[in-house]
Amino acid sequence: MNPSIVLSVVIGLFLLAGVRIVFEYKRAIKFRFGKYIKILQPGFRWIIPIVETIQVVDVRVITINILSQEVMTEDNVPCSIDGVVFFRINNPEKAVLEVEEYKFAISQLSQAALRDVCGKVELDIILSKREEMGKNIKGIVELETKEWGIEIIDVKIKDIQLPENMKRMMANQAEAERSRRARIILALAEEQAAGKLLEAGKLIDQSPSAIKLRLYQTLSNIAAEKNSTILFPFPEEVLPVKTKRTKKKN
């Protein structure tokens, strides 16, 4: 076999072995004999085989679940809380060189911060102010990850599991609160209705004609039932009639 052909094949394989494609949403950390050289931007890249290696880092927003944590709140209520962390790598060099397995490190930091934050407040605050709890956890985590070239975008509390007896107590409390509100609304309605009836009564007292109209309306409603018999215990003329008084002119 022609030595020049063999040499060409070897050189071709050598060149192909060093070809790397870096996607737009990633960055490649280049090492030469284990020493950091530079960050490779997206596109077609070539490295020296065997001599140089790369480590690819995703620079998109990444999510990590915070595993369910057993937390004892300030008012001594045990509960299980989990969440999710959103972060982005701003400096791939630091994310690779400053911390080993940054995803695992962020997960552990988030779990510890969740227990610390939720353990210092009462259960009612955790249930009603999840957004605020998430911001407090984010503040603790980003203090550490800032040195790693990582930006914590947000932390959300997803689920809060309570003991069964606590769920029953909260359900009873909610039912009692709904009953209290219903009674208050009913009392206000009765008060308003009584006021309107009082005003209507005063208007009717001022006009005997209104009394007759009301009487006719009642009779009409009663007459709608065909099996009803209406008896008048007194003639209509007995109803009071307002008469005008005339003053004698001197």
Side-chain angles (χ1 to χ4, degrees):
M1 183 179 292
N2 192 337
S4 62
I5 297 177
V6 175
L7 181 62
S8 299
V9 172
V10 172
I11 294 175
L13 292 176
F14 180 80
L15 294 176
L16 287 175
V19 173
R20 298 291 185 272
I21 302 296
V22 182
F23 290 95
E24 182 66 31
Y25 54 87
K26 293 184 178 181
R27 301 293 183 271
I29 312 299
K30 183 178 179 180
F31 297 91
R32 183 176 298 156
F33 294 114
K35 183 179 180 180
Y36 167 75
I37 302 300
K38 65 177 180 178
I39 296 176
L40 299 181
Q41 298 300 318
F44 180 87
R45 297 290 179 264
W46 187 83
I47 62 173
I48 304 174
I50 302 174
V51 175
E52 296 178 342
T53 57
I54 64 171
Q55 184 171 343
V56 179
V57 176
D58 197 324
V59 293
R60 294 174 294 183
V61 175
I62 303 173
T63 60
I64 293 180
N65 289 324
I66 304 176
L67 299 179
S68 181
Q69 302 294 302
E70 292 291 336
V71 178
M72 183 67 71
T73 62
E74 191 179 36
D75 49 350
N76 297 323
V77 178
C79 57
S80 298
I81 307 175
D82 60 10
V84 61
V85 181
F86 301 86
F87 70 93
R88 179 192 291 115
I89 296 177
N90 291 334
N91 191 326
E93 176 188 347
K94 288 185 176 181
V96 173
L97 301 180
E98 296 294 333
V99 59
E100 179 184 7
E101 293 293 336
Y102 57 85
K103 290 185 179 180
F104 179 74
I106 293 175
S107 176
Q108 295 300 306
L109 274 174
S110 301
Q111 292 177 25
L114 187 147
R115 289 193 299 267
D116 184 49
V117 170
C118 295
K120 294 180 180 179
V121 296
E122 298 181 354
L123 178 62
D124 289 342
I125 296 178
I126 298 176
L127 294 175
S128 60
K129 298 182 178 180
R130 293 191 182 194
E131 192 72 24
E132 183 178 339
M133 295 295 101
K135 290 181 179 179
N136 293 338
I137 296 172
K138 173 188 173 184
I140 294 175
V141 176
E142 67 183 358
L143 284 178
E144 300 290 338
T145 58
K146 188 185 302 182
E147 301 298 327
W148 305 340
I150 297 174
E151 175 191 2
I152 303 299
I153 298 174
D154 201 1
V155 177
K156 298 288 186 182
I157 293 178
K158 293 196 302 185
D159 191 22
I160 302 173
Q161 294 292 335
L162 302 176
E164 290 299 325
N165 60 341
M166 182 59 62
K167 291 181 179 179
R168 289 193 295 268
M169 292 174 60
M170 294 180 67
N172 294 335
Q173 181 182 359
E175 183 178 357
E177 179 64 19
R178 288 193 295 268
S179 178
R180 182 185 70 85
R181 293 180 181 179
R183 291 181 181 180
I184 292 175
I185 293 173
L186 180 60
L188 291 175
E190 291 180 351
E191 181 182 359
Q192 294 175 0
K196 295 299 182 181
L197 288 174
L198 179 60
E199 294 178 4
K202 291 180 179 179
L203 291 175
I204 291 175
D205 287 343
Q206 295 175 3
S207 176
S209 298
I211 297 177
K212 289 185 177 182
L213 290 175
R214 185 60 178 167
L215 175 62
Y216 295 152
Q217 183 181 2
T218 303
L219 294 176
S220 176
N221 294 336
I222 296 174
E225 299 292 336
K226 296 181 180 180
N227 58 351
S228 300
T229 302
I230 301 173
L231 298 177
F232 289 92
F234 51 83
E236 182 185 346
E237 290 76 7
V238 177
L239 293 175
V241 178
K242 185 175 180 180
T243 58
K244 295 182 180 180
R245 295 182 180 179
T246 58
K247 295 182 181 180
K248 295 181 180 181
K249 296 182 180 180
N250 296 329

